Amino acid sequence: MSLQSEVDIRDVSVRFGNVQVLEKLNLKIAPSEFIVLLGPSGCGKSTLLNAIAGLLDVSDGQMWIGGRNVTWEEPKDRGIAMVFQSYALYPRMSVKKNMSFGLEVAGTPRAEIEARVAEAAQMLKLTPLLERKPAALSGGQRQRVAIGRALVRKVGVYLFDEPLSNLDAQLRAELRVEIKRLHARLGATMIYVTHDQIEALTLADRIAVMQGGVIQQLAAPKDIYRRPVNRFVASFVGSPAMNFIAGRVEAGLFFHAGDYRIPLAGYAFAGAPAAGAATLGIRPEHVLAGHEAGPDAIAAKVEMVEPMGADTLIWSRLPDGASLSIRHAADAAVREGDTLPVSFPADALSVFDDTPAGARL
Amino acid sequence: MASPRMSSRASAYSALLPAFIVLAVVYIGSTVWTMWMSLTGSRMLPNNNFVGLRNYEILFSNDRWITSVHNLAFFGVLFVAISLALGFLLAVAIDQKVRSEDSWRSVYLYPYSMSFVVTGLVWQWLLNPTLGIQKLVRDMGFETFTFDWIAHAETVLYCLVIAGVWHAAGLVMAIMLAGLRGVDEDIWKAARVDGLPTWRVYASVVTPMLGASFATAGVLLSTSVVRLYDLSVAMTRGGPGIASEVPAKFVMDHLFERANISLATAAATSMLITVIAVVAPYMYWRTRVAARGRA
């Protein structure tokens, strides 16, 4: 099992009647890469996946998989396999039959089918369940069968359409690890659609954050998290969400909001720093609070404290009224009504301009 | 009264009482009375002279009754099988996202809104060699065309089947279409990725999922088979000869025309026993399945 294909999406547009879902989208995926398409519902990520699978005709552009132009080929001829959110198992067939049926219809030799099913079953720990019907399986087992049905096709690209969304939190975490292990073992190209940022951050080699049918940022999880290219990416990725403070960038490299100033010395501007209206973003865990805050600290008023076990989330308000969430050590002796000194390290900040898109400065 | 208000239990029972009385008198009472009558020597008027099973001996040596039962079995098998098959195919056809689907659905369902009497009359005209299809085709110039099944004893039952299927196929279509629409869209996508041809998905994946729809349609069709009376009366009056007689018609004729209440009730009781013999194992199986589903 060492097929790997590259996927090259060239200027692909998808329209439903007058509604333009994807417009001139380009995405090049390297062989054996794990790409996650991340975005809120309606952002076009599932549409893109269905277009790659060939379940949806593109209105424009070309789709290349494994060096072949497959724009107008049937899904079965594209060298892809797909796993669906609702499992989409054939309910009246046994687990074994679910995996083997497609191969049987395609005329694969019986011995070959047996071997592939046995291998996939062993990989997914399905061997004791082979004779069961899907109705007699738990959600996690059903999704493993669906993954098995994709594996036996032995293709270069595996597509996942929100495969874990129907599972409870614990199973989701388990299966997430299993998918990651599977990717390491197969080395196949995988394209994975989700709206769950944890799945995206844990699984992906690169994440494509989508909104409005456009890829906003395509980068490694760490870069997406640390250096979001615009306000949408910054606010969509990360939980609890990034704090935003409205203000102005001043020529002396200060960020001025209300009657306090935040030094920006050490911030890596994308271009030449220009003065003007801007938004400052900082993640809750990057805020320095209490005695860590240093001499130039700003006094934040604590409004609520949420102990979360491993750490504590503090909801506070800055002097100008902007709200600020702070992730703090679990043993912090902070109470509602306290005044907490906070400061913002420049290298952990993100500064966005005040255009509607909010591009990173 | 000790309490100004009845207990909720008592008020519930008093509200249900009329329905209980109707059930007891009309259904159970009439059934028991019919069974009792079949054991008496009643002719034009009911009497209580017990004669044992003599009426049943007469009944099962009666050619007309035997023919009626055979006819019903023949009609029933063909009618149910063809209606299910045709209704399913119509549903599949409509499921192909055809344009103006609503109109097609109405067109196919329309025959079901007509009574069997009207259906029978219409088809009697269509199949009548001197009025209907045969005449139409001959008038178009095909002088030797013959389509006179309704006039021959060997083929008249097929005519009943044609009219019955025309009447019921739309209903089956509606039930099947509801079932098809319940199939998860993702299963179709998965099948396409697997490379299954459409007919194969219908045959191997979708049809096995429609078990409940087939059972519902089958039960509805079977009840109309047992009731079969008006179609035979309106199309053929049981003829030619006794070639399209059916049990319900046998019962009605002996009750009201031939003044033989005891033989008619014996025939009715035989029908009831047959239906129970068929339905009871099915009900038993259903409860078993339901119990297993809960376990």
Side-chain angles (χ1 to χ4, degrees):
Chain A
M1 289 204 177
S2 59
L3 273 169
Q4 309 163 349
S5 309
E6 65 166 22
V7 177
D8 191 1
I9 299 158
R10 299 180 187 171
D11 287 332
V12 161
S13 301
V14 173
R15 278 183 288 269
F16 298 122
N18 291 327
V19 185
Q20 180 99 31
V21 183
L22 300 176
E23 193 175 355
K24 288 214 175 295
L25 188 137
N26 284 282
L27 178 60
K28 197 166 178 143
I29 300 165
S32 134
E33 193 173 5
F34 200 125
I35 283 272
V36 171
L37 306 177
L38 176 69
S41 44
C43 72
K45 57 191 193 299
S46 285
T47 306
L48 177 58
L49 197 75
N50 279 304
I52 296 171
L55 295 168
L56 201 67
D57 286 343
V58 302
S59 318
D60 241 323
Q62 290 184 340
M63 193 76 71
W64 290 67
I65 295 176
R68 284 189 309 132
N69 182 351
V70 296
T71 314
W72 298 110
E73 286 194 19
E74 273 294 299
K76 68 179 164 79
D77 302 322
R78 294 187 172 208
I80 54 112
M82 190 158 173
V83 177
F84 298 87
Q85 177 179 355
S86 62
Y87 322 132
L89 297 177
Y90 309 137
R92 293 297 165 139
M93 294 183 186
S94 67
V95 168
K96 190 174 181 183
K97 188 81 175 172
N98 259 288
M99 293 201 262
S100 64
F101 190 58
L103 298 176
E104 285 168 23
V105 171
T108 312
R110 185 144 289 279
E112 170 79 13
I113 296 177
E114 291 283 338
R116 288 198 202 176
V117 170
E119 188 184 0
Q122 182 264 328
M123 226 185 280
L124 293 159
K125 302 184 209 92
L126 289 171
T127 313
L129 308 176
L130 280 177
E131 300 306 325
R132 294 229 200 137
K133 293 274 170 61
L137 300 177
S138 70
Q141 289 169 333
R142 283 181 212 184
Q143 195 54 289
R144 285 219 297 273
V145 176
I147 295 172
R149 184 175 61 185
L151 287 188
V152 296
R153 288 176 54 75
K154 290 211 174 187
V155 289
V157 182
Y158 293 91
L159 309 175
F160 295 85
D161 191 0
E162 308 219 13
L164 308 184
S165 300
N166 282 4
L167 303 175
D168 62 50
Q170 198 185 347
L171 271 175
R172 211 179 306 162
E174 271 172 34
L175 219 56
R176 200 172 66 210
V177 174
E178 228 168 298
I179 289 176
K180 188 157 190 168
R181 214 174 273 147
L182 213 57
H183 177 246
R185 179 162 173 183
L186 296 177
T189 312
M190 292 189 175
I191 307 175
Y192 188 107
V193 162
T194 184
H195 61 259
D196 182 318
Q197 44 170 314
I198 304 297
E199 281 171 31
L201 293 168
T202 51
L203 288 171
D205 293 326
R206 283 192 299 165
I207 298 175
V209 183
M210 293 182 69
Q211 193 206 17
V214 177
I215 294 179
Q216 305 284 333
Q217 185 170 10
L218 174 65
K222 199 173 153 206
D223 293 334
I224 296 263
Y225 194 75
R226 290 302 293 254
R227 296 180 52 81
V229 293
N230 59 31
R231 273 193 65 172
F232 170 76
V233 176
S235 62
F236 189 75
V237 179
S239 171
M242 184 184 267
N243 297 295
F244 292 108
I245 302 161
R248 300 182 58 78
V249 171
E250 288 173 357
L253 286 187
F254 278 99
F255 185 86
H256 189 108
D259 51 4
Y260 56 90
R261 289 168 149 212
I262 297 159
L264 291 177
Y267 177 75
F269 278 95
T279 303
L280 180 111
I282 179 144
R283 297 211 178 270
E285 67 271 29
H286 293 150
V287 177
L288 299 177
H291 61 271
E292 294 172 356
D296 300 328
I298 303 160
K301 192 143 182 77
V302 176
E303 293 192 327
M304 195 168 64
V305 178
E306 285 186 312
M308 315 231 292
D311 43 29
T312 296
L313 195 62
I314 299 167
W315 298 89
S316 67
R317 214 162 269 286
L318 292 172
D320 65 328
S323 78
L324 179 77
S325 59
I326 307 158
R327 201 191 280 272
H328 204 281
D331 51 3
V334 180
R335 298 232 189 95
E336 273 169 49
D338 286 359
T339 300
L340 190 66
V342 295
S343 68
F344 307 126
D347 59 346
L349 295 176
S350 294
V351 184
F352 304 105
D353 66 22
D354 68 341
T355 58
R360 186 184 186 87
L361 284 173
Chain B
M1 212 185 278
S3 152
R5 287 166 58 102
M6 285 187 284
S7 75
S8 67
R9 194 174 254 271
S11 57
Y13 278 123
S14 61
L16 284 172
L17 194 62
F20 277 134
I21 292 174
V22 169
L23 180 75
V25 174
V26 177
Y27 287 95
I28 300 175
S30 301
T31 306
V32 170
W33 189 78
T34 301
M35 287 172 155
W36 165 244
M37 276 299 119
S38 72
L39 302 175
T40 67
S42 305
R43 301 293 295 179
M44 194 164 83
L45 293 173
N47 63 45
N48 288 329
N49 303 332
F50 183 71
V51 297
L53 293 175
R54 204 184 70 201
N55 286 313
Y56 291 90
E57 285 165 27
I58 297 171
L59 183 68
F60 281 95
S61 56
N62 182 324
D63 271 350
R64 193 176 153 194
W65 170 253
I66 301 293
T67 308
S68 300
V69 172
H70 281 168
N71 286 349
L72 191 72
F74 184 86
F75 171 87
V77 169
L78 277 187
F79 167 73
V80 172
I82 297 176
S83 295
L84 282 179
L86 191 66
F88 177 68
L89 291 177
L90 287 174
V92 168
I94 286 189
D95 196 34
Q96 308 306 308
K97 301 195 169 67
V98 290
R99 231 181 293 170
S100 57
E101 180 195 312
D102 286 352
S103 331
W104 287 112
R105 262 197 330 234
S106 309
V107 166
Y108 287 137
L109 200 50
Y110 204 71
Y112 195 71
S113 66
M114 277 183 239
S115 73
F116 261 136
V117 174
V118 177
T119 306
L121 266 180
V122 169
W123 278 95
Q124 188 229 310
W125 290 332
L126 283 172
L127 296 169
N128 186 325
T130 57
L131 287 174
I133 297 170
Q134 175 173 319
K135 180 166 186 307
L136 184 77
V137 177
R138 283 192 179 178
D139 286 352
M140 291 191 318
F142 302 95
E143 295 292 341
T144 55
F145 178 81
T146 316
F147 185 51
D148 55 357
W149 287 4
I150 203 167
H152 295 286
E154 315 84 70
T155 49
V156 66
L157 279 178
Y158 293 109
C159 295
L160 290 188
V161 171
I162 292 174
V165 167
W166 178 81
H167 185 256
L171 175 75
V172 178
M173 180 275 296
I175 294 171
M176 293 296 170
L177 189 60
L180 288 177
R181 289 289 149 82
V183 173
D184 182 2
E185 194 74 19
D186 280 352
I187 286 186
W188 280 101
K189 289 186 179 176
R192 265 186 84 189
V193 172
D194 258 355
L196 308 181
T198 306
W199 70 266
R200 196 66 204 255
V201 184
Y202 276 114
S204 302
V205 179
V206 173
T207 307
M209 292 171 70
L210 296 183
S213 302
F214 275 105
T216 307
V219 168
L220 287 177
L221 293 175
S222 302
T223 58
S224 64
V225 169
V226 178
R227 286 197 317 235
L228 182 66
Y229 168 72
D230 23 17
L231 197 60
S232 167
V233 169
M235 276 181 86
T236 61
R237 298 191 188 288
I242 56 167
S244 60
E245 288 288 345
V246 289
K249 187 163 175 296
F250 183 95
V251 173
M252 294 299 278
D253 286 355
H254 283 80
L255 266 186
F256 298 113
E257 283 173 23
R258 302 198 175 196
N260 195 340
I261 289 178
S262 58
L263 192 61
T265 51
T269 307
S270 301
M271 286 171 71
L272 178 68
I273 290 170
T274 312
V275 169
I276 289 174
V278 172
V279 171
Y282 172 74
M283 298 289 280
Y284 178 69
W285 174 74
R286 283 291 296 269
T287 43
R288 282 281 299 267
V289 168
R292 209 171 49 203
R294 275 195 301 273

